[in-house]
Amino acid sequence: MEEKENLKINHVKKIFKINETQLEVLTDINLDIKAGEFISIVGASGCGKSTLARMIAGLEKPTAGDITIGEKKIEKPSVNVGMVFQESRLFPWLTVEKNVEFGIHENLTSKEKKELVQKHIELVGLKSFEKALPKQLSGGMQQRVSIARALINNPSVLILDEPFGALDALTRINMQNEVLKIWEQERTTMILITHDIDEAIFLSDRILIMGKNPGEIKKEIKVGMSRPRSRNSYGFTDIRKEIYQEFFENTDMDIEYYL
Ligand SMILES: Nc1ncnc2c1ncn2[C@@H]1O[C@H](COP(=O)(O)OP(=O)(O)O)[C@@H](O)[C@H]1O
Ligand SMILES: [Mg+2]
């Protein structure tokens, strides 16, 4: 397996111009993420989480500052960063294996492709669903396909932008266990954007809480507990309290969003 690389966000700012007005969405974001770290980002709707994610993925350029992976500055989308969205974004007319294969960017023989696809389908627990079409799968299974597709080029970083937001509570917990398993196996750096505080605590090494107008990182919480984590442990509930506290104390957060 290739070495995974560190991710560095240096003084990143993002201003959108809408007609004549300028909207400063993100102000001076600085972040060092070690290869293989699991980071979650939580924050009110509209605080710039997806914009930050899109910049890391090279889909959007910072107005100032830069983002690097290893020694390389991110200027455009690359195979080194995978992304999963809230909607699975699968091709409805392609089977599971064809959807996963679509992510491959290397020149491989058809035998190599087949093996790589099979390995990733098994990684996400979808063995025997290779020939199924997306509409024949549950929402959780569709997201597993998206994850397989996003990991197929062995990226250094996987960004998950509210990937389980549309799933029911039990499926979500299932998927959290699945992501944990995949992360432990692949050691990809994970950046998870989520509204689910427990999801962030269950999975992350660090949780970043963002504030709004303009978006910035307000607080960083380190989660030192060993995994798998029990959601009812004292350590877990203490961190949950600390995060809720942060939202209640800040009037610029949409707290009702979290209740
Ligand atoms: N392409 C764009 N052009 C103009 N404004 C945008 C664009 N993308 C996002 N925004 C604005 O930037 C702000 C942050 O959006 P977003 O990053 O999607 O927030 P979040 O993901 O935290 O909900 C919002 O006010 C949104 O309307
Ligand atoms: Mg968003």
Side-chain angles (χ1 to χ4, degrees):
M1 195 186 290
E2 280 173 54
E3 265 316 293
K4 309 278 186 190
E5 297 166 303
N6 297 344
L7 173 72
K8 251 181 170 335
I9 301 178
N10 309 302
H11 299 292
V12 161
K13 184 183 198 151
K14 182 70 187 178
I15 297 172
F16 284 114
K17 287 198 183 69
I18 306 160
N19 300 323
E20 295 305 301
T21 41
Q22 294 203 338
L23 179 67
E24 186 174 357
V25 174
L26 293 167
T27 182
D28 202 29
I29 303 285
N30 292 287
L31 205 52
D32 272 4
I33 302 178
K34 282 200 299 290
E37 238 189 311
F38 202 122
I39 300 285
S40 285
I41 299 176
V42 297
S45 192
C47 74
K49 303 180 296 295
S50 293
T51 303
L52 183 61
R54 291 171 56 77
M55 289 193 291
I56 297 170
L59 297 165
E60 195 88 65
K61 282 205 165 69
T63 310
D66 58 41
I67 304 176
T68 56
I69 294 185
E71 298 297 308
K72 219 166 155 227
K73 188 168 154 180
I74 295 172
E75 314 257 24
K76 55 178 181 357
S78 100
V79 293
N80 213 11
V81 182
M83 195 150 171
V84 174
F85 305 88
Q86 181 164 343
E87 339 76 62
S88 60
R89 301 194 182 186
L90 301 174
F91 298 108
W93 59 88
L94 292 181
T95 60
V96 166
E97 60 183 4
K98 291 291 174 199
N99 264 291
V100 174
E101 185 184 318
F102 191 85
I104 298 178
H105 279 263
E106 271 177 287
N107 271 328
L108 300 175
T109 65
S110 59
K111 181 167 174 284
E112 287 168 332
K113 274 189 189 172
K114 209 170 158 54
E115 283 170 9
L116 198 60
V117 167
Q118 195 56 38
K119 177 185 163 230
H120 284 84
I121 286 177
E122 285 174 26
L123 176 72
V124 300
L126 282 181
K127 197 169 156 47
S128 84
F129 289 94
E130 289 86 351
K131 305 287 181 206
L133 288 168
K135 65 167 187 236
Q136 297 170 311
L137 305 176
S138 67
M141 288 160 90
Q142 290 180 20
Q143 282 306 54
R144 287 170 192 252
V145 180
S146 310
I147 293 172
R149 185 174 63 182
L151 287 175
I152 196 124
N153 299 302
N154 190 27
S156 284
V157 178
L158 180 67
I159 304 170
L160 302 141
D161 190 355
E162 301 190 35
F164 313 137
L167 306 177
D168 66 82
L170 288 179
T171 305
R172 249 152 105 142
I173 288 179
N174 235 323
M175 292 302 290
Q176 291 159 12
N177 291 326
E178 197 64 38
V179 166
L180 182 61
K181 204 187 79 195
I182 292 168
W183 175 70
E184 286 176 335
Q185 202 168 323
E186 300 286 299
R187 287 292 158 180
T188 312
T189 307
M190 300 272 190
I191 302 176
L192 170 70
I193 296 169
T194 181
H195 279 116
D196 185 329
I197 306 291
D198 278 21
E199 180 169 291
I201 306 170
F202 182 71
L203 290 168
S204 318
D205 296 313
R206 282 191 282 159
I207 300 169
L208 306 171
I209 301 178
M210 284 182 65
K212 186 172 171 176
N213 294 327
E216 60 184 354
I217 296 168
K218 290 221 132 154
K219 192 174 174 126
E220 175 185 308
I221 292 173
K222 287 202 167 64
V223 187
M225 290 177 282
S226 61
R227 297 177 175 92
R229 294 169 178 161
S230 156
R231 293 161 204 266
N232 299 318
S233 69
Y234 287 116
F236 205 103
T237 50
D238 279 351
I239 292 174
R240 189 189 288 134
K241 265 189 221 150
E242 191 181 346
I243 296 173
Y244 277 96
Q245 197 79 33
E246 187 66 25
F247 284 113
F248 282 114
E249 278 175 4
N250 287 289
T251 48
D252 61 337
M253 305 257 190
D254 303 341
I255 48 170
E256 65 270 43
Y257 205 84
Y258 295 90
L259 298 178

